[in-house]
Amino acid sequence: MYKKDIKKIQYNRHGTIDCMINHKEFGWIPFTVVEGDCEELGKELYAEIMSGKHGKIAEYVAPEITAEEKTTEVMHKRRALLTEVDVVASNPLRWEDLSEQEQEELRQYRRAVFSIKEQDGFPFNVIWPDSPKALEL
């Protein structure tokens, strides 16, 4: 199945080991090695890799998140928080049940969440406002 050629041995984010094996038919293919694998090949490769036969296992390095990816993540959270407020604020019966102070807290909270993109640290260092008690059901 493979020629015992193994390269690019590295831990992944799950704690298992990713590597490339040289398959007879397909050439270099990715392979994940797991302790306790039920397949013979997996067991054999795990033992060989852990013994150091194919070199050192590189540590896992988390990928850096781009500003675009972080902006998307923050904006999804922002949208969800605004929706929580709008469910209360757009329902006249629920809104009327709130005290003046609770209504004002919701207004201020909504403004703070809405303007999150104006923070100096956006998108990587966002400071989220505390959720008002009126949203706790």
Side-chain angles (χ1 to χ4, degrees):
M1 180 177 193
Y2 78 106
K3 303 174 192 171
K4 294 280 190 177
D5 292 334
I6 302 174
K7 65 182 183 180
K8 296 185 180 178
I9 304 167
Q10 181 175 19
Y11 285 104
N12 60 37
R13 67 186 176 112
H14 305 291
T16 55
I17 301 167
D18 290 337
C19 62
M20 298 292 289
I21 62 171
N22 196 358
H23 191 278
K24 281 198 260 184
E25 185 177 343
F26 303 113
W28 289 102
I29 60 171
F31 194 88
T32 299
V33 180
V34 181
E35 182 177 19
D37 197 321
C38 62
E39 297 291 327
E40 282 306 311
L41 176 62
K43 289 177 186 177
E44 186 180 320
L45 288 177
Y46 183 81
E48 289 180 9
I49 288 171
M50 295 309 289
S51 74
K53 180 178 180 179
H54 300 284
K56 186 177 176 188
I57 305 169
E59 293 298 320
Y60 171 68
V61 178
E64 288 192 31
I65 188 168
T66 66
E68 182 180 348
E69 291 168 328
K70 188 64 175 175
T71 297
T72 299
E73 177 186 310
V74 169
M75 295 308 283
H76 281 292
K77 180 174 180 175
R78 175 183 175 261
R79 190 173 310 119
L81 294 176
L82 290 172
T83 299
E84 286 179 14
V85 174
D86 291 346
V87 165
V88 175
S90 65
N91 182 324
L93 296 175
R94 289 182 74 185
W95 187 254
E96 289 174 5
D97 284 344
L98 299 175
S99 68
E100 293 272 335
Q101 181 180 345
E102 290 172 322
Q103 289 177 359
E104 184 56 30
E105 287 173 0
L106 275 176
R107 284 186 199 99
Q108 289 177 9
Y109 174 74
R110 190 179 195 293
R111 277 192 289 274
V113 170
F114 186 80
S115 62
I116 216 83
K117 352 181 241 195
E118 297 169 20
Q119 289 185 11
D120 288 337
F122 181 84
F124 290 103
N125 296 307
V126 172
I127 299 170
W128 295 98
D130 293 331
S131 180
K133 296 224 186 288
L135 290 180
E136 297 173 10
L137 300 175

